[in-house]
Amino acid sequence: MLIVMDRGATPEQVKGVIEVISAQGLTPQPIPGGDRVAIGVLGNQGYVDESPFRGLPGVREFIHVTKPFKLVSRDFHPEDTVVKVGNVEVGWNRPPVIIAGPCAVESREQVFAAARVVKAAGAHMLRGGAFKPRTGPHSFQGMGFEGVDLLAEAGKEVGLPIVTEVMRIDQLDRVAEKADCLQIGARNMQNFDLLKEVAKVGRPVLLKRGMSATLEEFLAAAEYILSGGNDQVILCERGIRTFERALRNTLDLGVVPYLKNITHLPLIVDPSHAIGRREIVPHMTKAAIVVGAAGVMVEVHPSPAQALCDGPQSLSPDDFTKLMAELTG
Ligand code: PEP
Ligand code: MN
């Protein structure tokens, strides 16, 4: 519930309401705003009883929040959250952040080559999967911790923070030691135990939208991480599964301006997994930026034809360099 105060409410009146909220065993969250002061009420399992607050000086109205998310909403936190990954800042209304790198870390040579290419072209962060959630068990499953170590070394050499996926709770601590940002993939968006634990490791989280997740479910998943005490969450739209099969997925770009109104958490777009075809990826990267995404994540491989994972959607070094020149030129 939100308790909205009168425009002229005094600091004492706000304090009075906060004390009553605490006395009910609930958690107050003051939300200073330009034209109103509101106080969020958290910690309730069900409907919040208004009666202890009715008639308190300065109280104007009550707004009951029935959605499964509060902390991620602009109602509870009007200002944009800026997520810091190493020295890179990701947020709405800022220059878009470009994350690039291979789908999977495959070898020392491959990941260092990719790191040098994306750095030289002007990317801000290096990606690479070491634990790969593959559709079938016979596909390359990733290099595991060795891959994380190589990605970290490559990121250090070129001076880029790194993001890599974690699939299981028992990977969290070791990956968090090396990675600047932990990715939760589309297939794990609703792995609620993983979400609860990733909130605790003290690293920013890049949370990808499940391929069949509604936006309400997407935000509710992010809410798990915020309610675990970590507000450093980057949302990522990566395409959804629809009846259309011509492209890998359907890139839902309308979510960018839509979510900008609803959540203070930055949203980036992954055109690579959405589209699945390298010749279309640059177009949709530009489109994502035009509609206001806080950044993009693009797969780049030093030699896409040899890629062990997602070669058809990976940009070559030349493709990526050209795209970056077009974005910044
Ligand atoms: C990835 O980014 O490497 C990945 C596996 O993407 P998604 O979880 O969106 O399929
Ligand atoms: Mn991939």
Side-chain angles (χ1 to χ4, degrees):
M1 181 171 75
L2 281 170
I3 302 178
V4 182
M5 304 296 290
D6 285 331
R7 214 171 286 270
T10 64
E12 287 69 37
Q13 290 173 337
V14 173
K15 195 159 159 258
V17 174
I18 287 173
E19 280 165 9
V20 177
I21 296 171
S22 300
Q24 302 296 310
L26 298 167
T27 309
Q29 180 174 311
I31 307 162
D35 56 350
R36 63 156 204 203
V37 172
I39 306 164
V41 181
L42 297 165
N44 55 300
Q45 295 291 332
Y47 193 81
V48 181
D49 179 12
E50 292 173 10
S51 53
F53 312 105
R54 233 176 269 138
L56 290 178
V59 169
R60 188 171 81 204
E61 60 171 327
F62 304 100
I63 301 174
H64 288 274
V65 180
T66 51
K67 299 188 191 93
F69 55 86
K70 300 177 189 176
L71 298 174
V72 305
S73 76
R74 290 224 187 248
D75 296 334
F76 276 68
H77 187 292
E79 263 87 62
D80 295 347
T81 286
V82 175
V83 179
K84 279 206 81 172
V85 181
N87 55 359
V88 176
E89 296 187 339
V90 190
W92 293 115
N93 302 303
R94 300 180 152 251
V97 166
I98 315 290
I99 307 172
C103 178
V105 177
E106 299 169 2
S107 68
R108 168 177 290 274
E109 294 66 36
Q110 175 252 14
V111 71
F112 273 73
R116 288 181 194 124
V117 164
V118 304
K119 170 72 182 187
H124 307 105
M125 232 185 274
L126 175 67
R127 67 148 282 150
F131 296 99
K132 294 302 303 175
R134 302 306 299 279
T135 301
H138 307 302
S139 304
F140 177 56
Q141 302 287 305
M143 291 181 75
F145 291 115
E146 192 191 346
V148 177
D149 292 348
L150 288 173
L151 184 72
E153 269 189 58
K156 261 212 182 76
E157 188 190 90
V158 300
L160 291 179
I162 60 164
V163 54
T164 195
E165 178 163 355
V166 279
M167 290 171 58
R168 293 203 319 249
I169 291 171
D170 63 6
Q171 295 161 354
L172 285 172
D173 288 338
R174 237 177 113 180
V175 177
E177 269 176 36
K178 298 280 172 121
D180 302 283
C181 181
L182 302 179
Q183 176 171 320
I184 303 287
R187 291 157 191 79
N188 269 317
M189 186 203 85
Q190 285 190 313
N191 181 338
F192 301 116
D193 287 335
L194 183 61
L195 296 175
K196 284 179 192 166
E197 294 302 316
V198 80
K200 298 182 191 161
V201 294
R203 287 280 179 217
V205 178
L206 193 164
L207 177 67
K208 300 190 86 172
R209 180 183 182 184
M211 60 189 80
S212 301
T214 64
L215 293 182
E216 187 166 290
E217 289 163 342
F218 189 20
L219 293 176
E223 184 86 4
Y224 268 92
I225 304 171
L226 271 71
S227 55
N230 183 359
D231 76 342
Q232 293 288 286
V233 176
I234 302 168
L235 303 171
C236 180
E237 167 61 44
R238 47 78 73 205
I240 51 173
R241 183 169 287 198
T242 68
F243 59 84
E244 179 52 65
R245 302 311 298 148
L247 299 171
R248 183 170 177 177
N249 287 290
T250 298
L251 179 52
D252 193 5
L253 274 185
V255 307
V256 178
Y258 179 77
L259 283 183
K260 191 172 181 177
N261 269 329
I262 292 186
T263 182
H264 52 94
L265 298 175
L267 174 76
I268 67 165
V269 170
D270 168 356
S272 304
H273 290 90
I275 298 297
R277 280 170 51 179
R278 105 168 44 86
E279 69 278 18
I280 302 178
V281 166
H283 296 292
M284 302 318 288
T285 305
K286 293 174 196 166
I289 290 173
V290 167
V291 292
V296 289
M297 182 158 82
V298 181
E299 286 186 340
V300 178
H301 194 285
S303 175
Q306 268 75 52
L308 297 181
C309 183
D310 286 347
Q313 69 195 33
S314 299
L315 300 187
S316 69
D318 284 352
D319 295 336
F320 183 65
T321 305
K322 179 165 172 273
L323 171 61
M324 288 299 286
E326 286 167 0
L327 289 180
T328 52

